[in-house]
Amino acid sequence: MIVGQQKKFDEIWEMVKGFRKVMVLGCNTCIAVCHAGGDKEADALASMLKIKAANEKVSMDVSHGAIQRQCENEFFTPVLEDLAKYDLVLSIACGVGVNFLSARIGKTPVYPGVNTQFFGGVPKPGFFEELCGGCGSCVLNLTGGICPIARCSKSLMNGPCGGTNKGKCEVSQDIDCAWFLIVERMKQLGTLEKLFEVQPPRDWSGSFHGGPRRVVVEHLRDIEEKQ
Amino acid sequence: MKSGSNLEKVIKSGQPAVTAELGPPMSADAHEVIKKANQLKGFCDAANITDCQTAVVRISSIAAAYIALREGLEPVMQMTCRDRNRIAMQADFLGAAALGLKNCLCIAGDHQSFSAAGRLKGHPGAKNVYDVDTCQLVGIMKKMRDEGLQQGGDKLEVAPKFFIGASWTPMGDPIDFRPYNLKKKVDAGADFIQTQGIYDMELFKVQMEKARNLGLHERTAVLAGIIVPKSAMMLKYMDSSVAGVSVPKELIQRMLKAKDAAGDDKKKAKELQEQEGMKITVELIQQALEIPGIKGVHVQAIEWESAIEHIVKAAGLYPRPDFSE
């Protein structure tokens, strides 16, 4: 899932304070799971904005709502017309939602209420960790299912650097050394010797470094064109 | 000869090699480099010129290496994977070779978060690169030198001829993988290896035996890294906080004894600890050179380059071999 964190309230207030009619719009998929931007958070944030506006004697009409996904047309169709009536939509979806809505809403600005962070998992409630770098060329078969791109602070491909300290990364004692985990996992799988081979320089053109990416599923596009 | 560097000649001659380290200053002051180069000249076969160590902005390794070369000190330029992509790296190799540099140590580089770990503001918000890692960088240099090709495949009219080095942390985690870590760097093309600082010689012997069992000592020249201890505090810090470094209690005790001998006299305590530190260094050098497969030592007197002369002489490694024509 995509993981994000709500921006600090003061930063949100600075963005929002000049607008009179504001819609706080949540997204009930990934960003709701990480308690940053679902319908509950939209409700809470709208209440905080109302209180702040009253305290600051700013005239502001704040509404809130949420749709299932801010990244697909079908979920926007019923609400787009209504959203266009606001002076500002404060989207607390991930950045994908903000982009997607901005391209469809016309003259109304869409501002982000969330800092989108990473592709991660939820190993325990309230705890989210980055697990995939979205690099466009997966190597998890070579590394025991542990991503060296996202989980090694230096995205190394050929084993640990000299900074591994008691299984932790040199960047922080709170970060596990990915290569320490990879070596242990490969031992467990009986495939440690796979790590002895030198991995050549990567082709990063399939990652963000090749420019913005697109995926086209041909057979679905064909069906749509026929329709 | 792969590069014709002095370091390569010394290693090829079978005599124990000595490399030292020169840290460039955090300013545009060439005199600082010149001063340090003259402190090291004649007492080592080559000196590493660090590449923004601990991610702190300093005179670039190539520029400082060129200044050292002009002073008559053979440099080992360093190149981290942190700050450059493969385009910048290869461009710098061509430029460095054109300036007459012949040795290069390839390293991952300390993470940029290190730059603000001490009293400095640093640049912890910098974006790092890591387009390639150390093994890949070594491979790129070798391909340029031996095949006359850039990484992408384009031809080089004149190839840069470097003696290629890599670092090794023999006692880092996961410790049983470290000999293979070395093997990968050797397979990629490392001609020489400089290790992380070693105080625990017994554990290092075990790791070297594993490296010998993989035949690595015959394919690369391993130079044992020795970091000159300055104080008991430094040794304690290295033991507790520096990755891959463990310091035997006896060494810390020796330094504490030297410190205590000075009583309340702080200046004397510093002097006595420095003397003991140099003594420990000489002993570590001698122990390291007795380990089968060790081809030399890499002595790092961090911000204390003037100590090298005494250490090298006391270790019986002076004068250094002279291959000048």
mmCIF file of all heavy atoms in Angstrom, chain A residues 151-187:
data_model
loop_
_atom_site.group_PDB
_atom_site.id
_atom_site.type_symbol
_atom_site.label_atom_id
_atom_site.label_comp_id
_atom_site.label_asym_id
_atom_site.label_seq_id
_atom_site.Cartn_x
_atom_site.Cartn_y
_atom_site.Cartn_z
ATOM 1 N N ARG A 151 15.357 -0.861 0.958
ATOM 2 C CA ARG A 151 15.634 -1.122 2.369
ATOM 3 C C ARG A 151 17.109 -0.967 2.752
ATOM 4 O O ARG A 151 17.453 -0.984 3.933
ATOM 5 C CB ARG A 151 15.110 -2.506 2.746
ATOM 6 C CG ARG A 151 13.596 -2.572 2.563
ATOM 7 C CD ARG A 151 13.021 -3.935 2.797
ATOM 8 N NE ARG A 151 13.096 -4.344 4.198
ATOM 9 C CZ ARG A 151 12.673 -5.532 4.638
ATOM 10 N NH1 ARG A 151 12.144 -6.399 3.774
ATOM 11 N NH2 ARG A 151 12.767 -5.835 5.906
ATOM 12 N N CYS A 152 17.983 -0.828 1.747
ATOM 13 C CA CYS A 152 19.391 -0.487 2.029
ATOM 14 C C CYS A 152 19.495 1.020 1.801
ATOM 15 O O CYS A 152 19.077 1.524 0.757
ATOM 16 C CB CYS A 152 20.324 -1.236 1.075
ATOM 17 S SG CYS A 152 22.010 -0.608 1.063
ATOM 18 N N SER A 153 20.060 1.741 2.771
ATOM 19 C CA SER A 153 20.119 3.209 2.663
ATOM 20 C C SER A 153 20.944 3.668 1.463
ATOM 21 O O SER A 153 20.878 4.828 1.080
ATOM 22 C CB SER A 153 20.722 3.801 3.937
ATOM 23 O OG SER A 153 19.929 3.454 5.038
ATOM 24 N N LYS A 154 21.764 2.755 0.909
ATOM 25 C CA LYS A 154 22.592 3.119 -0.242
ATOM 26 C C LYS A 154 22.172 2.337 -1.491
ATOM 27 O O LYS A 154 22.883 2.367 -2.498
ATOM 28 C CB LYS A 154 24.066 2.857 0.090
ATOM 29 C CG LYS A 154 24.547 3.650 1.316
ATOM 30 C CD LYS A 154 25.985 3.336 1.714
ATOM 31 C CE LYS A 154 26.352 4.112 2.985
ATOM 32 N NZ LYS A 154 27.708 3.773 3.477
ATOM 33 N N SER A 155 21.063 1.621 -1.411
ATOM 34 C CA SER A 155 20.565 0.807 -2.541
ATOM 35 C C SER A 155 21.673 -0.050 -3.143
ATOM 36 O O SER A 155 21.787 -0.158 -4.372
ATOM 37 C CB SER A 155 19.940 1.696 -3.630
ATOM 38 O OG SER A 155 18.837 2.400 -3.108
ATOM 39 N N LEU A 156 22.484 -0.657 -2.295
ATOM 40 C CA LEU A 156 23.603 -1.463 -2.795
ATOM 41 C C LEU A 156 23.092 -2.789 -3.357
ATOM 42 O O LEU A 156 22.117 -3.342 -2.861
ATOM 43 C CB LEU A 156 24.608 -1.727 -1.674
ATOM 44 C CG LEU A 156 25.186 -0.485 -0.978
ATOM 45 C CD1 LEU A 156 26.164 -0.906 0.125
ATOM 46 C CD2 LEU A 156 25.890 0.423 -1.972
ATOM 47 N N MET A 157 23.777 -3.271 -4.376
ATOM 48 C CA MET A 157 23.348 -4.512 -5.031
ATOM 49 C C MET A 157 24.286 -5.681 -4.760
ATOM 50 O O MET A 157 24.012 -6.810 -5.163
ATOM 51 C CB MET A 157 23.264 -4.275 -6.549
ATOM 52 C CG MET A 157 22.024 -3.533 -6.997
ATOM 53 S SD MET A 157 20.512 -4.446 -6.608
ATOM 54 C CE MET A 157 20.753 -5.941 -7.577
ATOM 55 N N ASN A 158 25.426 -5.439 -4.146
ATOM 56 C CA ASN A 158 26.427 -6.507 -4.021
ATOM 57 C C ASN A 158 26.845 -6.793 -2.588
ATOM 58 O O ASN A 158 27.978 -7.199 -2.347
ATOM 59 C CB ASN A 158 27.656 -6.157 -4.868
ATOM 60 C CG ASN A 158 27.424 -6.486 -6.329
ATOM 61 O OD1 ASN A 158 27.300 -7.654 -6.696
ATOM 62 N ND2 ASN A 158 27.332 -5.467 -7.165
ATOM 63 N N GLY A 159 25.962 -6.603 -1.660
ATOM 64 C CA GLY A 159 26.288 -6.942 -0.280
ATOM 65 C C GLY A 159 26.442 -5.716 0.593
ATOM 66 O O GLY A 159 26.359 -4.585 0.114
ATOM 67 N N PRO A 160 26.645 -5.970 1.902
ATOM 68 C CA PRO A 160 26.660 -4.866 2.865
ATOM 69 C C PRO A 160 27.860 -3.945 2.682
ATOM 70 O O PRO A 160 28.921 -4.372 2.227
ATOM 71 C CB PRO A 160 26.746 -5.577 4.220
ATOM 72 C CG PRO A 160 27.387 -6.893 3.924
ATOM 73 C CD PRO A 160 26.923 -7.274 2.550
ATOM 74 N N CYS A 161 27.707 -2.681 3.060
ATOM 75 C CA CYS A 161 28.847 -1.766 3.106
ATOM 76 C C CYS A 161 29.541 -1.950 4.444
ATOM 77 O O CYS A 161 29.185 -2.839 5.223
ATOM 78 C CB CYS A 161 28.391 -0.313 2.908
ATOM 79 S SG CYS A 161 27.475 0.388 4.304
ATOM 80 N N GLY A 162 30.502 -1.121 4.745
ATOM 81 C CA GLY A 162 31.228 -1.253 6.009
ATOM 82 C C GLY A 162 30.478 -0.658 7.195
ATOM 83 O O GLY A 162 30.984 -0.667 8.304
ATOM 84 N N GLY A 163 29.286 -0.160 6.957
ATOM 85 C CA GLY A 163 28.583 0.557 8.017
ATOM 86 C C GLY A 163 27.635 -0.279 8.859
ATOM 87 O O GLY A 163 26.996 0.241 9.760
ATOM 88 N N THR A 164 27.550 -1.589 8.559
ATOM 89 C CA THR A 164 26.643 -2.451 9.334
ATOM 90 C C THR A 164 27.168 -2.593 10.751
ATOM 91 O O THR A 164 28.318 -2.971 10.946
ATOM 92 C CB THR A 164 26.579 -3.859 8.716
ATOM 93 O OG1 THR A 164 26.562 -3.734 7.321
ATOM 94 C CG2 THR A 164 25.381 -4.615 9.217
ATOM 95 N N ASN A 165 26.336 -2.284 11.734
ATOM 96 C CA ASN A 165 26.778 -2.364 13.128
ATOM 97 C C ASN A 165 25.745 -3.148 13.935
ATOM 98 O O ASN A 165 24.628 -2.685 14.116
ATOM 99 C CB ASN A 165 26.967 -0.947 13.695
ATOM 100 C CG ASN A 165 27.991 -0.915 14.809
ATOM 101 O OD1 ASN A 165 28.502 -1.965 15.231
ATOM 102 N ND2 ASN A 165 28.305 0.265 15.299
ATOM 103 N N LYS A 166 26.136 -4.314 14.351
ATOM 104 C CA LYS A 166 25.251 -5.212 15.116
ATOM 105 C C LYS A 166 23.912 -5.388 14.402
ATOM 106 O O LYS A 166 22.841 -5.343 15.019
ATOM 107 C CB LYS A 166 25.060 -4.690 16.543
ATOM 108 C CG LYS A 166 26.383 -4.611 17.319
ATOM 109 C CD LYS A 166 26.223 -4.017 18.707
ATOM 110 C CE LYS A 166 27.579 -3.823 19.382
ATOM 111 N NZ LYS A 166 28.315 -2.623 18.923
ATOM 112 N N GLY A 167 23.994 -5.569 13.090
ATOM 113 C CA GLY A 167 22.778 -5.823 12.302
ATOM 114 C C GLY A 167 21.990 -4.577 11.951
ATOM 115 O O GLY A 167 20.951 -4.663 11.305
ATOM 116 N N LYS A 168 22.480 -3.408 12.381
ATOM 117 C CA LYS A 168 21.761 -2.165 12.105
ATOM 118 C C LYS A 168 22.517 -1.332 11.070
ATOM 119 O O LYS A 168 23.715 -1.482 10.880
ATOM 120 C CB LYS A 168 21.580 -1.353 13.390
ATOM 121 C CG LYS A 168 20.795 -2.085 14.472
ATOM 122 C CD LYS A 168 19.340 -2.286 14.053
ATOM 123 C CE LYS A 168 18.564 -3.061 15.109
ATOM 124 N NZ LYS A 168 17.177 -3.303 14.725
ATOM 125 N N CYS A 169 21.780 -0.399 10.457
ATOM 126 C CA CYS A 169 22.330 0.463 9.414
ATOM 127 C C CYS A 169 23.123 1.613 10.039
ATOM 128 O O CYS A 169 22.791 2.068 11.134
ATOM 129 C CB CYS A 169 21.167 1.020 8.604
ATOM 130 S SG CYS A 169 21.644 2.262 7.390
ATOM 131 N N GLU A 170 24.135 2.092 9.317
ATOM 132 C CA GLU A 170 24.930 3.205 9.843
ATOM 133 C C GLU A 170 24.103 4.490 9.975
ATOM 134 O O GLU A 170 24.470 5.389 10.725
ATOM 135 C CB GLU A 170 26.159 3.468 8.962
ATOM 136 C CG GLU A 170 25.844 4.067 7.589
ATOM 137 C CD GLU A 170 27.099 4.354 6.765
ATOM 138 O OE1 GLU A 170 28.138 3.743 7.025
ATOM 139 O OE2 GLU A 170 27.017 5.189 5.855
ATOM 140 N N VAL A 171 22.998 4.563 9.248
ATOM 141 C CA VAL A 171 22.184 5.786 9.294
ATOM 142 C C VAL A 171 21.469 5.928 10.637
ATOM 143 O O VAL A 171 21.352 7.020 11.173
ATOM 144 C CB VAL A 171 21.170 5.803 8.129
ATOM 145 C CG1 VAL A 171 20.191 6.953 8.264
ATOM 146 C CG2 VAL A 171 21.912 5.887 6.796
ATOM 147 N N SER A 172 20.994 4.788 11.189
ATOM 148 C CA SER A 172 20.264 4.851 12.458
ATOM 149 C C SER A 172 20.163 3.462 13.081
ATOM 150 O O SER A 172 20.020 2.465 12.370
ATOM 151 C CB SER A 172 18.858 5.407 12.211
ATOM 152 O OG SER A 172 18.013 5.105 13.290
ATOM 153 N N GLN A 173 20.221 3.435 14.384
ATOM 154 C CA GLN A 173 20.043 2.170 15.099
ATOM 155 C C GLN A 173 18.602 1.665 14.983
ATOM 156 O O GLN A 173 18.315 0.531 15.355
ATOM 157 C CB GLN A 173 20.425 2.355 16.574
ATOM 158 C CG GLN A 173 21.934 2.386 16.801
ATOM 159 C CD GLN A 173 22.620 1.084 16.369
ATOM 160 O OE1 GLN A 173 22.301 0.019 16.850
ATOM 161 N NE2 GLN A 173 23.551 1.189 15.429
ATOM 162 N N ASP A 174 17.708 2.513 14.466
ATOM 163 C CA ASP A 174 16.312 2.086 14.287
ATOM 164 C C ASP A 174 16.091 1.399 12.942
ATOM 165 O O ASP A 174 15.000 0.911 12.661
ATOM 166 C CB ASP A 174 15.366 3.306 14.360
ATOM 167 C CG ASP A 174 15.403 3.952 15.738
ATOM 168 O OD1 ASP A 174 15.692 3.230 16.711
ATOM 169 O OD2 ASP A 174 15.159 5.167 15.824
ATOM 170 N N ILE A 175 17.129 1.409 12.097
ATOM 171 C CA ILE A 175 16.977 0.826 10.763
ATOM 172 C C ILE A 175 17.755 -0.492 10.707
ATOM 173 O O ILE A 175 18.950 -0.529 11.020
ATOM 174 C CB ILE A 175 17.526 1.791 9.676
ATOM 175 C CG1 ILE A 175 16.795 3.140 9.738
ATOM 176 C CG2 ILE A 175 17.408 1.167 8.293
ATOM 177 C CD1 ILE A 175 17.413 4.213 8.822
ATOM 178 N N ASP A 176 17.075 -1.562 10.315
ATOM 179 C CA ASP A 176 17.787 -2.826 10.120
ATOM 180 C C ASP A 176 18.658 -2.717 8.875
ATOM 181 O O ASP A 176 18.234 -2.126 7.876
ATOM 182 C CB ASP A 176 16.790 -3.973 9.914
ATOM 183 C CG ASP A 176 16.002 -4.285 11.170
ATOM 184 O OD1 ASP A 176 16.592 -4.195 12.266
ATOM 185 O OD2 ASP A 176 14.803 -4.615 11.053
ATOM 186 N N CYS A 177 19.851 -3.323 8.923
ATOM 187 C CA CYS A 177 20.688 -3.387 7.719
ATOM 188 C C CYS A 177 20.035 -4.392 6.784
ATOM 189 O O CYS A 177 19.896 -5.576 7.124
ATOM 190 C CB CYS A 177 22.104 -3.824 8.068
ATOM 191 S SG CYS A 177 23.061 -4.312 6.612
ATOM 192 N N ALA A 178 19.618 -3.946 5.604
ATOM 193 C CA ALA A 178 18.924 -4.832 4.657
ATOM 194 C C ALA A 178 19.827 -6.003 4.270
ATOM 195 O O ALA A 178 19.372 -7.139 4.149
ATOM 196 C CB ALA A 178 18.511 -4.047 3.420
ATOM 197 N N TRP A 179 21.117 -5.720 4.096
ATOM 198 C CA TRP A 179 22.012 -6.790 3.658
ATOM 199 C C TRP A 179 22.291 -7.807 4.766
ATOM 200 O O TRP A 179 22.530 -8.970 4.490
ATOM 201 C CB TRP A 179 23.306 -6.215 3.057
ATOM 202 C CG TRP A 179 23.053 -5.879 1.628
ATOM 203 C CD1 TRP A 179 22.776 -4.665 1.091
ATOM 204 C CD2 TRP A 179 22.970 -6.821 0.545
ATOM 205 N NE1 TRP A 179 22.542 -4.770 -0.255
ATOM 206 C CE2 TRP A 179 22.661 -6.083 -0.614
ATOM 207 C CE3 TRP A 179 23.134 -8.200 0.437
ATOM 208 C CZ2 TRP A 179 22.504 -6.692 -1.866
ATOM 209 C CZ3 TRP A 179 22.971 -8.813 -0.807
ATOM 210 C CH2 TRP A 179 22.664 -8.060 -1.937
ATOM 211 N N PHE A 180 22.215 -7.379 5.989
ATOM 212 C CA PHE A 180 22.304 -8.331 7.103
ATOM 213 C C PHE A 180 21.103 -9.283 7.020
ATOM 214 O O PHE A 180 21.249 -10.501 7.103
ATOM 215 C CB PHE A 180 22.302 -7.567 8.434
ATOM 216 C CG PHE A 180 22.547 -8.423 9.629
ATOM 217 C CD1 PHE A 180 23.840 -8.713 10.049
ATOM 218 C CD2 PHE A 180 21.484 -8.970 10.343
ATOM 219 C CE1 PHE A 180 24.067 -9.514 11.153
ATOM 220 C CE2 PHE A 180 21.711 -9.776 11.448
ATOM 221 C CZ PHE A 180 23.001 -10.048 11.857
ATOM 222 N N LEU A 181 19.917 -8.711 6.787
ATOM 223 C CA LEU A 181 18.702 -9.524 6.677
ATOM 224 C C LEU A 181 18.764 -10.438 5.452
ATOM 225 O O LEU A 181 18.356 -11.594 5.507
ATOM 226 C CB LEU A 181 17.461 -8.616 6.585
ATOM 227 C CG LEU A 181 17.185 -7.687 7.770
ATOM 228 C CD1 LEU A 181 15.968 -6.801 7.469
ATOM 229 C CD2 LEU A 181 16.945 -8.492 9.041
ATOM 230 N N ILE A 182 19.289 -9.894 4.351
ATOM 231 C CA ILE A 182 19.358 -10.685 3.104
ATOM 232 C C ILE A 182 20.264 -11.899 3.305
ATOM 233 O O ILE A 182 19.910 -13.021 2.948
ATOM 234 C CB ILE A 182 19.852 -9.800 1.926
ATOM 235 C CG1 ILE A 182 18.782 -8.768 1.557
ATOM 236 C CG2 ILE A 182 20.217 -10.658 0.722
ATOM 237 C CD1 ILE A 182 19.252 -7.674 0.592
ATOM 238 N N VAL A 183 21.438 -11.671 3.908
ATOM 239 C CA VAL A 183 22.380 -12.781 4.130
ATOM 240 C C VAL A 183 21.726 -13.846 5.019
ATOM 241 O O VAL A 183 21.770 -15.047 4.716
ATOM 242 C CB VAL A 183 23.705 -12.262 4.740
ATOM 243 C CG1 VAL A 183 24.561 -13.413 5.250
ATOM 244 C CG2 VAL A 183 24.480 -11.444 3.706
ATOM 245 N N GLU A 184 21.076 -13.412 6.096
ATOM 246 C CA GLU A 184 20.434 -14.378 7.003
ATOM 247 C C GLU A 184 19.325 -15.153 6.290
ATOM 248 O O GLU A 184 19.199 -16.369 6.444
ATOM 249 C CB GLU A 184 19.864 -13.649 8.231
ATOM 250 C CG GLU A 184 20.920 -13.089 9.170
ATOM 251 C CD GLU A 184 21.912 -14.147 9.667
ATOM 252 O OE1 GLU A 184 21.465 -15.223 10.092
ATOM 253 O OE2 GLU A 184 23.145 -13.884 9.596
ATOM 254 N N ARG A 185 18.536 -14.436 5.486
ATOM 255 C CA ARG A 185 17.430 -15.090 4.776
ATOM 256 C C ARG A 185 17.945 -16.082 3.726
ATOM 257 O O ARG A 185 17.407 -17.179 3.574
ATOM 258 C CB ARG A 185 16.565 -14.012 4.117
ATOM 259 C CG ARG A 185 15.421 -14.526 3.279
ATOM 260 C CD ARG A 185 14.368 -15.220 4.116
ATOM 261 N NE ARG A 185 13.239 -15.649 3.278
ATOM 262 C CZ ARG A 185 12.484 -16.702 3.527
ATOM 263 N NH1 ARG A 185 12.710 -17.455 4.598
ATOM 264 N NH2 ARG A 185 11.481 -17.029 2.726
ATOM 265 N N MET A 186 18.999 -15.695 3.024
ATOM 266 C CA MET A 186 19.548 -16.587 1.996
ATOM 267 C C MET A 186 20.154 -17.830 2.633
ATOM 268 O O MET A 186 20.103 -18.917 2.066
ATOM 269 C CB MET A 186 20.582 -15.846 1.134
ATOM 270 C CG MET A 186 19.983 -14.738 0.281
ATOM 271 S SD MET A 186 18.745 -15.307 -0.924
ATOM 272 C CE MET A 186 19.784 -15.451 -2.386
ATOM 273 N N LYS A 187 20.730 -17.675 3.832
ATOM 274 C CA LYS A 187 21.239 -18.841 4.567
ATOM 275 C C LYS A 187 20.080 -19.777 4.888
ATOM 276 O O LYS A 187 20.162 -20.981 4.697
ATOM 277 C CB LYS A 187 21.903 -18.385 5.874
ATOM 278 C CG LYS A 187 23.354 -17.986 5.739
ATOM 279 C CD LYS A 187 23.959 -17.944 7.141
ATOM 280 C CE LYS A 187 24.710 -16.668 7.366
ATOM 281 N NZ LYS A 187 25.007 -16.390 8.753
#
